[in-house]
Amino acid sequence: MNAATTRSARLILLSLFVTALGNSAMIPFMAYFIMQELHMSALHVTGYSVAASLLTMLCNRVVGERIDRGGRMFDYVAVGNIGLMAASLAVLIVPTYPTVLLAAAPCLALAGAGVSAVYILGRLFAERNGLDVQRYNAKVRTMVSTGWMFGPALSYLIAARGGSFYVFLFVLALSIAALATTAISLPRDFRTEKRETRSASENPGWFDNRPLWLAAGACFLFNIAHVLCASALPLFYIREAHLPVYAPGLSLTFKCLAEIVAIMGSSYITERIGRRNALYFAAVAGMAAFAVLHEATSLPLMALGALMEGAYFGLFAGVAVSFMQGFARGRIGRATSLYMNSLFLGSLTASTMTGLIATAFSFQAAIATAGLAMTAALAMLFLTRRADAEAEA
């Protein structure tokens, strides 16, 4: 690999990190802003979350299809950066709930689709420049995880010191930096290769790729399991396990560290056992993590469970996007957007399930349910086994 390619590869990762940092500084903060600053109810938070998630999935699908038709990836990444800029600016100027719902939510959906476009660009850049696709995809995923590791913490720290106005000002600055980094680092005319026109006898429908949809179902269930556990843990630790107030933050730190290490190591694991077996291993490790966390009534057990949680999810995150792209059949945009949408839909579904299960039973029961969801994910993954030649190609 020559020096120019190495530089471009690193700049793409830098662009993604700054973009992910900006998104993560604003997206999780919106629920706090709606309830604490605008003094709205939890129902208003739910309305915003549903709207933002559905709009993001729609934008992901549209962007994926346009990229598959030869659209310039730079344009969609830049529009995503501008979307984050517009969302923060709108809430800065008019901090009201209608602004959040009608302006911030659609603009943040564009920002999310911009991240999806970088995933696609990263995959194709690696293929065309002779890079190890699995390793570069793992680095791409690491940049996203690292951004999300620091972004929420920074936004809440700024809110505690100066209020939400300065949080959105910080996000605005990050969005400008992201747009500048995108302009400097990403190739302007990078596109997918044009696909041959399909004959009338072929089925051109959205659902014509069964293995891809089965893989998406597995990712959807993986994320349900992950979010069910992650969203139940903080209140389980404090209310039911009676651990110290700092326990959720400490647990998250352990989890994030293990997750990043696992993502970076995922390429070495897949080289030895393959993507499918790596995902099988991640699912079984996830079940073991949930079993430990279900019984985490002490800090040492909590720390062990958090490390196991980060390890299994990091392995999944490092492998899943490459696994799904292996079923693309020339439609890398569709496969990547479907992967992203499976995560969004899984998060939305699990967030609703957590509240219902905790109300009816307990937060500990929600963690147990995560184990059932992971079992279903393993079964769904097993159904794609006959398409190994595609997935491992």
Side-chain angles (χ1 to χ4, degrees):
M1 182 169 58
N2 58 43
T5 301
T6 301
R7 180 176 177 274
S8 297
R10 289 174 178 171
L11 286 174
I12 290 170
L13 296 176
L14 175 62
S15 172
L16 182 56
F17 171 72
V18 179
T19 300
L21 186 64
N23 284 356
S24 66
M26 185 166 181
I27 292 172
F29 184 74
M30 294 306 294
Y32 173 89
F33 174 70
I34 291 170
M35 294 191 71
Q36 296 298 116
E37 301 288 337
L38 300 182
H39 307 291
M40 309 299 286
S41 68
L43 188 61
H44 288 87
V45 175
T46 301
Y48 161 77
S49 298
V50 170
S53 297
L54 293 178
L55 285 169
T56 302
M57 287 189 286
L58 176 62
C59 287
N60 277 336
R61 174 174 174 176
V62 171
V63 167
E65 288 294 299
R66 287 180 179 271
I67 286 176
D68 281 340
R69 295 192 188 109
R72 294 200 316 169
M73 296 179 205
F74 173 85
D75 295 343
Y76 300 112
V77 180
V79 167
N81 297 147
I82 294 170
L84 182 63
M85 191 185 306
S88 57
L89 195 58
V91 183
L92 272 172
I93 297 172
V94 188
T96 63
Y97 185 73
T99 302
V100 168
L101 194 62
L102 301 177
C107 289
L108 288 175
L110 291 174
V115 173
S116 180
V118 182
Y119 271 95
I120 301 168
L121 188 149
R123 164 79 185 217
L124 294 177
F125 179 87
E127 285 182 350
R128 294 180 187 179
N129 289 279
L131 305 181
D132 186 300
V133 172
Q134 179 63 46
R135 289 187 182 182
Y136 196 70
N137 267 349
K139 291 178 181 179
V140 166
R141 191 62 178 83
T142 300
M143 291 300 103
V144 175
S145 294
T146 305
W148 278 84
M149 182 177 177
F150 292 107
L154 288 171
S155 62
Y156 282 108
L157 178 62
I158 293 170
R161 296 294 180 88
S164 60
F165 176 84
Y166 292 99
V167 173
F168 296 126
L169 198 62
F170 173 63
V171 173
L172 179 61
L174 284 175
S175 66
I176 295 171
L179 183 60
T181 309
T182 295
I184 293 169
S185 63
L186 300 191
R188 291 288 196 281
D189 201 36
F190 205 83
R191 308 168 187 263
T192 57
E193 295 178 359
K194 291 184 179 180
R195 292 181 288 109
E196 295 180 3
T197 304
R198 300 168 69 98
S199 66
S201 61
E202 292 184 61
N203 176 13
W206 177 259
F207 299 100
D208 61 350
N209 190 341
R210 183 174 176 271
L212 177 64
W213 279 95
L214 288 173
C219 291
F220 167 71
L221 290 166
F222 254 102
N223 211 46
I224 283 183
H226 171 246
V227 176
L228 262 176
C229 180
S231 57
L233 279 176
L235 290 173
F236 165 69
Y237 287 146
I238 294 172
R239 291 187 181 181
E240 298 174 12
H242 306 295
L243 295 177
V245 176
Y246 62 80
L250 184 62
S251 174
L252 184 60
T253 299
F254 281 122
K255 178 197 170 186
C256 289
L257 289 173
E259 182 178 326
I260 290 174
V261 171
I263 292 173
M264 291 303 297
S266 62
S267 59
Y268 298 99
I269 295 174
T270 54
E271 284 176 3
R272 286 158 177 77
I273 65 175
R275 297 174 197 159
R276 171 180 305 285
N277 289 333
L279 289 176
Y280 284 154
F281 181 75
V284 174
M287 295 177 200
F290 299 147
V292 172
L293 291 168
H294 186 269
E295 303 299 326
T297 55
S298 67
L299 289 176
L301 203 57
M302 178 209 74
L304 174 62
L307 290 171
M308 293 173 67
E309 183 189 14
Y312 98 78
F313 190 70
L315 180 57
F316 163 75
V319 176
V321 63
S322 297
F323 182 71
M324 281 199 61
Q325 287 172 344
F327 295 116
R329 294 180 182 172
R331 293 175 172 177
I332 195 72
R334 173 179 292 187
T336 306
S337 64
L338 190 57
Y339 165 74
M340 298 296 289
N341 283 349
S342 71
L343 301 187
F344 276 106
L345 187 59
S347 297
L348 186 62
T349 304
S351 298
T352 305
M353 289 175 63
T354 302
L356 293 174
I357 294 169
T359 301
F361 302 101
S362 65
F363 288 101
Q364 189 178 36
I367 298 171
T369 306
L372 297 177
M374 188 60 80
T375 304
L378 183 61
M380 184 71 76
L381 184 63
F382 185 72
L383 293 177
T384 67
R385 68 194 184 283
R386 294 183 179 178
D388 277 342
E390 290 181 76
E392 299 293 344

